[in-house]
Amino acid sequence: MIWQSLDSILTRIRPRREVLALAIDALVVAACWHITYLFRLGFERWHSARPDYDVWVMLALVALYLGVFVALRVPKGMWRFSGFGEVQRLTLACAIAGLVGAVAVLMAQLSQVPRAVLALHPVVSLMGLAMVRIGYRMLYEHMRGRISGSATETRRALVMGAGDAARLLIAGIQHHGWVVVGLLDDDRRRLGTRVSNVPVLGPLDSAPRWAELHGISHIIVALPSATPAERRRALDLAAATHLPVVTVPSAAELREGTTVTRVREIEAEDLLGREPVQLDEGGISEALGGKVVLITGAGGSIGSELCRQVARYGPLKLVLYELSEFALYRIEQELSEHFPHIPLVRLVGDVRDPEHLRATFTRVRPQVVFHAAAYKHVPLMEEDNAFAALRNNTLGTWRAASAAAEAGAERFVLISTDKAVNPTNVMGASKRAAEMVIAKLAAEVLARGGRTRFMAVRFGNVLGSSGSVIPKFKEQIARGGPVTVTHPDITRFFMTIPEAARLVVQAAAIGEGGQVFVLDMGEPVRIVDLARDLIRMSGHSADEIPITFSGLRPGEKLYEELLADADATLATRFERLRIARLDDRGHDVQALLDWAAERSSAPDDEVRERLARLVSEYRRAGH
């Protein structure tokens, strides 16, 4: 197609745009010198009446004009955006060059150069220079309209991947503000071919060269079926272009109904490069299908994803127990839209209220309970809120679990955290105490022949959850930085919210009681590396958006652990899901529960002291 060929030619010469602009301007100024003579002397005399030195005057004036243009940064203007501002800059440049040139000619006593020519030449030059730029803009917009169906400036994309996903992507975005200039693929059989009339230019690692050559504005990674490691390699190569990087949905997102034609920004989970955990869908369906399921903290980041995951398995009824009215309304609206066939019970309630819990469990008779209600922000809980963390995380777990046992629930699953291992903060110690509560109840229920199975699931930081560093990093990048990291060596285990929720429902399906399930989360991630990756994927460099270190916050440690040193782990039939059998004998968790239940407040230091008595491995950070 002629317009695509023209577009290809223009993009190839774009790196030398300023030099070419000066050359064209020189030709226009010289041509306008002749046109001015023609206008002043007419056809008969416009050439013969000139002095012998006229050609040298013209060349000197052209050099003068180009010097003024460079000084006023005229060549840096982009002709396809030419408007009134560009005409203003040209007017000033022509006026200065014309005035200086006329004065120089007169002072040199070159009297045979007509004064009218000296006066008219800047005006004619301005008209010629402006017409060239406006003509180019008209041609460019017409070309864009013929290629993309829109005359407005579009985003020029280079797509990584030349498979079916790329074909669907091109069909979906070509007429919505995008122009796909070329495709990249490591499959040598595809090189030189065309997908939906877009050429496959080269392998993935040639992205920087093609991006510069074609004036690319965005890189799109279209490899939904690639492994996480392959996607991560493609993202690193895309980031090397220093352009914004977007991606089509992953294979998991496509299975959940997202379409290939929708591109999104790079998320932190794209950067982890980990294989998803394979779960026993049949076993989970058997454990949850046709059951009454109650979720505490149903409106939180983990609780709401649990609601979505549980709803997929067709529960008889879903009971949403949430303290925040707004969070409860939000998840109720979402579930009603996507799972209209599932009856919902929406309850505003507090897990610290034993009477309301007991009445609720007696009335709805849940068979499976997921306990996600918790205070989890480490620095907030460390100072002035230690007792609130203890009452909510530990006492709240005791009361919710006791109500579940009294109501005859089949399973009770506590959402725990890696911060419960060798805790250095109140939040982690309160969650470790909650695990001890689960162990105590499991033993008591087993001793009296009860039916409720109690278990906990322990995992690392969840990407995108409330309090997560990722949303904070994205906000800081959007504001232009700096991005704040507490310490250059701080590391964390990470997992996605859906992955965490699936782990929890799997634990509910296979748990036998008194167990803490742990996910093998691979290697920990350095937070500063994650910040650098997000900056690169946004199309910025470390110089543009710097990273600053603010220091460790109260209760924070450099690294987290998933298992304490003394814990024994057992394998399950799921490769990356293990069981930690914890030795809780001799721990009097009941004394701490009774103490917390008897009062409405307590000093932070006393809370820490009592937690330390129970959780022997608790060592406050910095002490």
Side-chain angles (χ1 to χ4, degrees), residues 212-235:
E212 180 180 2
L213 184 61
H214 288 286
I216 299 300
S217 64
H218 289 76
I219 306 294
I220 302 177
V221 177
L223 299 166
S225 59
T227 65
E230 290 170 341
R231 278 175 66 87
R232 178 55 201 254
R233 173 178 175 270
L235 291 173

Side-chain angles (χ1 to χ4, degrees), residues 469 471-485 545:
V469 296
K472 176 184 174 183
F473 286 168
K474 288 187 174 182
E475 290 175 5
Q476 291 174 333
I477 292 171
R479 293 198 303 264
V483 173
T484 56
V485 179
I545 299 183

Side-chain angles (χ1 to χ4, degrees), residues 576-591:
R576 300 178 63 189
L577 189 62
R578 301 186 64 84
I579 300 172
R581 289 199 176 274
L582 308 177
D583 182 8
D584 294 319
R585 291 173 296 177
H587 296 299
D588 187 8
V589 68
Q590 190 62 52

Side-chain angles (χ1 to χ4, degrees), residues 107-340:
M107 290 180 64
Q109 297 183 353
L110 303 177
S111 57
Q112 295 185 49
V113 177
R115 294 185 178 182
V117 170
L118 294 176
L120 289 175
H121 180 249
V123 178
V124 178
S125 295
L126 173 62
M127 294 172 61
L129 294 167
M131 287 177 63
V132 168
R133 284 160 170 76
I134 293 173
Y136 178 86
R137 177 172 178 175
M138 292 173 62
L139 174 65
Y140 185 86
E141 291 182 354
H142 181 71
M143 177 186 68
R144 289 266 63 83
R146 295 300 299 268
I147 293 175
S148 65
S150 172
T152 58
E153 178 64 13
T154 55
R155 290 165 287 188
R156 298 173 60 80
L158 192 63
V159 176
M160 287 186 161
D164 290 338
R167 178 176 55 81
L168 294 172
L169 176 70
I170 293 169
I173 69 172
Q174 281 276 47
H175 299 292
H176 292 85
W178 291 88
V179 170
V180 178
V181 176
L183 307 175
L184 303 178
D185 201 290
D186 284 337
D187 187 345
R188 295 183 178 276
R189 296 171 298 178
R190 292 175 174 170
L191 298 183
T193 62
R194 303 181 79 87
V195 176
S196 298
N197 209 31
V198 177
V200 180
L201 302 174
L204 299 183
D205 58 11
S206 64
R209 179 167 64 91
W210 294 112
E212 180 180 2
L213 184 61
H214 288 286
I216 299 300
S217 64
H218 289 76
I219 306 294
I220 302 177
V221 177
L223 299 166
S225 59
T227 65
E230 290 170 341
R231 278 175 66 87
R232 178 55 201 254
R233 173 178 175 270
L235 291 173
D236 287 338
L237 292 172
T241 64
H242 305 294
L243 295 171
V245 182
V246 295
T247 182
V248 300
S250 64
E253 292 172 298
L254 294 176
R255 285 194 297 269
E256 293 174 1
T258 309
T259 60
V260 174
T261 56
R262 296 184 61 181
V263 296
R264 62 166 173 80
E265 292 183 356
I266 300 299
E267 302 292 346
E269 48 263 42
D270 297 312
L271 305 174
L272 291 182
R274 290 198 296 112
E275 296 287 346
V277 179
Q278 300 299 318
L279 302 179
D280 177 14
E281 298 288 341
I284 296 174
S285 181
E286 183 179 348
L288 300 179
K291 303 289 181 68
V292 178
V293 180
L294 184 147
I295 301 174
T296 69
S301 50
I302 298 296
S304 59
E305 183 62 30
L306 273 173
C307 291
R308 300 180 193 102
Q309 296 291 339
V310 169
R312 293 173 50 226
Y313 296 99
L316 178 65
K317 185 187 300 181
L318 194 53
V319 184
L320 314 177
Y321 197 87
E322 171 61 54
L323 181 60
S324 167
E325 177 194 26
F326 175 70
L328 179 62
Y329 170 77
R330 186 172 54 187
I331 187 60
E332 180 264 342
Q333 290 292 301
E334 180 182 341
L335 293 174
S336 297
E337 178 182 353
H338 293 99
F339 304 96

Side-chain angles (χ1 to χ4, degrees), residues 6-194:
L6 178 60
D7 181 55
S8 179
I9 293 171
L10 292 177
T11 55
R12 286 178 183 275
I13 65 175
R14 187 169 284 126
R16 293 173 287 277
R17 175 174 53 84
E18 294 183 22
V19 174
L20 289 172
L22 279 175
I24 294 172
D25 287 345
L27 293 175
V28 170
V29 171
C32 289
W33 181 256
H34 296 297
I35 292 172
T36 307
Y37 264 106
L38 182 64
F39 179 80
R40 172 67 180 82
L41 301 177
F43 281 103
E44 294 79 7
R45 302 176 56 233
W46 76 277
H47 187 268
S48 59
R50 300 189 193 190
D52 295 337
Y53 51 77
D54 183 75
V55 65
W56 298 106
V57 174
M58 181 189 70
L59 292 175
L61 284 174
V62 169
L64 174 63
Y65 270 80
L66 294 185
V68 174
F69 288 174
V70 171
L72 296 181
R73 301 173 63 85
V74 171
K76 293 190 176 296
M78 301 183 73
W79 288 12
R80 65 180 185 271
F81 299 129
S82 295
F84 183 67
E86 184 71 6
V87 173
Q88 283 183 308
R89 189 179 294 107
L90 286 173
T91 302
L92 178 61
C94 290
I96 293 174
L99 179 61
V100 172
V103 170
V105 168
L106 293 175
M107 290 180 64
Q109 297 183 353
L110 303 177
S111 57
Q112 295 185 49
V113 177
R115 294 185 178 182
V117 170
L118 294 176
L120 289 175
H121 180 249
V123 178
V124 178
S125 295
L126 173 62
M127 294 172 61
L129 294 167
M131 287 177 63
V132 168
R133 284 160 170 76
I134 293 173
Y136 178 86
R137 177 172 178 175
M138 292 173 62
L139 174 65
Y140 185 86
E141 291 182 354
H142 181 71
M143 177 186 68
R144 289 266 63 83
R146 295 300 299 268
I147 293 175
S148 65
S150 172
T152 58
E153 178 64 13
T154 55
R155 290 165 287 188
R156 298 173 60 80
L158 192 63
V159 176
M160 287 186 161
D164 290 338
R167 178 176 55 81
L168 294 172
L169 176 70
I170 293 169
I173 69 172
Q174 281 276 47
H175 299 292
H176 292 85
W178 291 88
V179 170
V180 178
V181 176
L183 307 175
L184 303 178
D185 201 290
D186 284 337
D187 187 345
R188 295 183 178 276
R189 296 171 298 178
R190 292 175 174 170
L191 298 183
T193 62
R194 303 181 79 87

Side-chain angles (χ1 to χ4, degrees), residues 347-367:
L347 299 173
V348 175
D350 189 341
V351 295
R352 294 165 295 187
D353 184 346
E355 288 78 15
H356 188 265
L357 277 171
R358 194 173 295 112
T360 297
F361 278 65
T362 300
R363 177 166 63 91
V364 301
R365 295 289 175 181
Q367 293 158 287

